[in-house]
Amino acid sequence: MLATHGESAKLLAGGQSLVPMMAMRLVRPGWLVDINEIAVLKFVAVEKDVARTGACTRQCVVERDEALAARVPLLRQALKWVGHIQTRNRGTVGGSLAHADPCAELPLVAQVLGARMLLRSAKGARTLEAEKFFSGPMATSARPDECLEEIHWPAWSWRRTGSAFTEISVRHGDFAMVSAAAQVAIDGDGRCVRAAFGVGGAGGTPLAFPKIAARLVGTRLDDAAVSDAAHAAAAETQPGSDLHASAEYRRHLAGVLAARALREARERARSL
Amino acid sequence: MSETLHAVSVEVNGRPRSARVPARLSLVDWLREDLFLTGTHVGCEHGICGACSVMLDGQPVRACLMYVVQAHGHRVTTVEGLAKPDGSMSVLQDSFCETHGLQCGYCTPGMLIATQALLNSNPDPTEAQIRDAIGGNLCRCTGYQQIVEAVQLAAERMAKEAK
Ligand SMILES: Cc1cc2nc3c(=O)[nH]c(=O)nc-3n(C[C@@H](O)[C@H](O)[C@H](O)COP(=O)(O)OP(=O)(O)OC[C@H]3O[C@@H](n4cnc5c(N)ncnc54)[C@H](O)[C@@H]3O)c2cc1C
Ligand code: FES
Ligand code: FES
């Protein structure tokens, strides 16, 4: 269908973004291809270094999966902020990533963890890193004839790994004004062995800061180091202004929230 | 131009229903306009207000964001399906009346679906859990406090009845 109809055909997953956009006549697809009854697109598989989710797995299923929460805790932490129970009962993981709202929570998790997207079309399959997948506001590098099939979420193996997600929005359940996600691993002495963090809503795509995070390795993640990293990251952001928040305010939030997420992640890691 | 019709069978409030519908027909429009189940309300028609909430296989969802063809082979429960078999009000519905959990009533069917779904999975919810369950349902009248009280009252009564 996608190969035949090209741009005029759209995949329909949970419909929680696409149907509102159709209702507002922002998109008018000629064809909708419903992927909700395709069983192979719905699964959660937790493996040694990676957790795989089918693209059409509902957000509520991912949120409740205990094995997944144990290995990739950021997913459950982020999903608490995604819409409401009713929207998570229909909305899918792949739909959220493909929709690529720069303020959405799951795309930020994908960016911070370096998730990989498995895309398939009639011509074959390919894998894209999150960094290459998100190409701009509401835009991905998936071609119109490609279906996101699976997402591979890296699972860190350090025992003392902690993560956290936080955001500021107008009301709980709304898209974030700015959000932040962090994951850190520490050794027995409390020294950081790996760190990753990023912010959403402060640019055209969710942003991760691997170079700045690398500077945290070897530190004890004390508040000063965390705050330096968060502010260095905020300085790199180029947020836009809108009715809800000015660019300056968003940049300020990016720094504050990134620091908060890093501290919370550190506390979780220390408690293990 | 006549549209292609698709055959669907959906269990609505325990009754099997079959119909031939265009692919573009939303679930909420079908329930209201073809089945005359006008208890389910339509507010925003784009997923924001929650007035159109129904249960799909027991889980609350927005009926304005689904097409009837997608409900084929599934179970749908509307607010009409919450009443007792003899047509009298359920414990939760009675509690809404008593605590003044509604004023104009526009949001009420959605609130009832959301909170009944909560009580089905969690008979003794905390206030925070109740607020979370209705987080996706807008009410312009009550200020939500009486709705929370209605759910608390219903939970108490259901616990007593179960004893
Ligand atoms: C009231 C409300 C509040 C919300 N709040 C939030 C929020 O706080 N944070 C948030 O992140 N989201 C929020 N959302 C949106 C979220 O619920 C959606 O689930 C998500 O954005 C899209 O997922 P979906 O499965 O519904 O996809 P759909 O709406 O079905 O599709 C979205 C887009 O992705 C494409 N697509 C879907 N699946 C695939 C696939 N497998 N391969 C390729 N392309 C695909 C579709 O063609 C379409 O263009 C909210 C929605 C509502 C209605
Ligand atoms: S009418 Fe469906 S959410 Fe408002
Ligand atoms: S009672 Fe009027 S909207 Fe809730």
Side-chain angles (χ1 to χ4, degrees):
Chain A
M1 281 294 283
L2 294 181
T4 321
H5 298 288
E7 297 266 5
S8 76
K10 279 246 162 228
L11 295 178
L12 173 62
Q16 304 298 299
S17 292
L18 183 55
V19 179
M21 285 173 62
M22 288 167 57
M24 291 184 265
R25 306 296 186 266
L26 292 173
V27 286
R28 296 163 173 247
W31 299 87
L32 282 187
V33 184
D34 185 354
I35 57 174
N36 282 279
E37 304 288 328
I38 305 180
V40 291
L41 293 180
K42 298 192 214 180
F43 67 90
V44 176
V46 181
E47 291 159 12
K48 195 163 158 281
D49 301 317
V50 70
R52 296 185 297 127
T53 58
C56 209
T57 312
R58 305 232 183 262
Q59 292 157 7
C60 64
V61 171
V62 170
E63 188 183 359
R64 289 189 205 122
D65 194 293
E66 292 299 335
L68 186 60
R71 293 306 313 282
V72 191
L74 253 182
L75 280 172
R76 178 182 284 178
Q77 290 159 352
L79 278 166
K80 289 207 187 323
W81 300 91
V82 177
H84 314 282
I85 292 166
Q86 286 109 316
T87 66
R88 294 195 296 271
N89 278 337
R90 290 294 293 169
T92 66
V93 178
S96 178
L97 297 172
H99 189 59
D101 189 301
C103 299
E105 291 81 0
L106 292 179
L108 175 58
V109 174
Q111 190 77 287
V112 166
L113 294 181
R116 287 182 301 279
M117 320 287 167
L118 180 62
L119 298 163
R120 187 176 296 279
S121 71
K123 293 186 207 110
R126 61 176 179 141
T127 306
L128 274 186
E129 300 267 334
E131 194 194 338
K132 302 233 167 65
F133 179 76
F134 299 113
S135 57
M138 329 295 272
T140 71
S141 358
R143 294 188 307 262
D145 68 335
E146 280 180 317
C147 174
L148 176 57
E149 193 171 64
E150 283 187 31
I151 304 99
H152 296 187
W153 309 89
W156 295 9
S157 44
W158 292 278
R159 191 180 58 80
R160 301 181 82 189
T161 297
S163 62
F165 197 103
T166 185
E167 72 179 43
I168 300 279
S169 58
V170 180
R171 291 162 305 192
H172 188 97
D174 286 3
F175 277 98
M177 242 159 2
V178 175
S179 54
Q183 181 155 304
V184 299
I186 56 175
D187 64 14
D189 294 336
R191 273 188 204 284
C192 176
V193 285
R194 185 161 174 200
F197 74 101
V199 296
T205 64
L207 304 167
F209 305 95
K211 289 207 187 89
I212 301 174
R215 287 193 236 144
L216 289 168
V217 172
T219 72
R220 293 194 172 274
L221 294 173
D222 53 74
D223 286 354
V226 161
S227 158
D228 278 352
H231 287 102
E236 284 188 9
T237 63
Q238 294 189 323
S241 289
D242 64 18
L243 210 56
H244 298 296
S246 66
E248 199 186 339
Y249 180 53
R250 280 178 202 270
R251 194 174 297 120
H252 166 74
L253 283 182
V256 172
L257 295 179
R260 196 176 291 168
L262 279 165
R263 286 196 305 267
E264 272 178 40
R266 173 195 70 197
E267 292 313 312
R268 291 215 173 96
R270 282 182 182 168
S271 72
L272 295 171
Chain B
M1 195 185 90
S2 70
E3 269 191 293
T4 314
L5 299 180
H6 305 266
V8 292
S9 325
V10 185
E11 187 187 306
V12 181
N13 298 334
R15 267 181 66 191
R17 299 282 202 147
S18 298
R20 292 175 59 75
V21 296
R24 63 172 66 228
L25 184 65
S26 78
L27 177 59
V28 70
D29 286 347
W30 182 63
L31 292 169
R32 289 177 53 87
E33 288 166 25
D34 291 356
L35 303 187
F36 304 112
L37 293 169
T38 52
T40 305
H41 289 169
V42 218
C44 63
E45 290 185 88
H46 59 255
I48 302 293
C49 72
C52 65
S53 301
V54 300
M55 290 187 210
L56 181 76
D57 300 325
Q59 300 300 322
V61 301
R62 293 178 168 358
C64 70
L65 298 186
M66 267 189 79
Y67 299 103
V68 190
V69 288
Q70 295 186 287
H72 175 69
H74 293 274
R75 263 184 311 124
V76 171
T77 312
T78 69
V79 67
E80 288 89 349
L82 298 184
K84 294 183 188 148
D86 66 2
S88 64
M89 296 281 114
S90 70
V91 176
L92 180 63
Q93 286 169 320
D94 269 335
S95 307
F96 264 72
C97 294
E98 281 173 48
T99 62
H100 301 285
L102 65 150
Q103 287 176 31
C104 79
Y106 208 88
C107 69
T108 315
M111 290 289 180
L112 285 166
I113 290 287
T115 53
Q116 187 65 58
L118 169 70
L119 292 173
N120 290 349
S121 63
N122 177 0
D124 186 22
T126 62
E127 180 177 341
Q129 287 167 332
I130 298 172
R131 289 189 184 272
D132 188 45
I134 59 171
N137 295 70
L138 299 182
C139 175
R140 305 277 77 174
C141 306
T142 63
Y144 304 98
Q145 185 55 37
Q146 295 102 296
I147 295 176
V148 173
E149 285 163 16
V151 182
Q152 287 168 329
L153 180 62
E156 254 169 56
R157 288 190 175 161
M158 281 152 70
K160 270 192 205 133
E161 273 182 21
K163 269 188 202 151

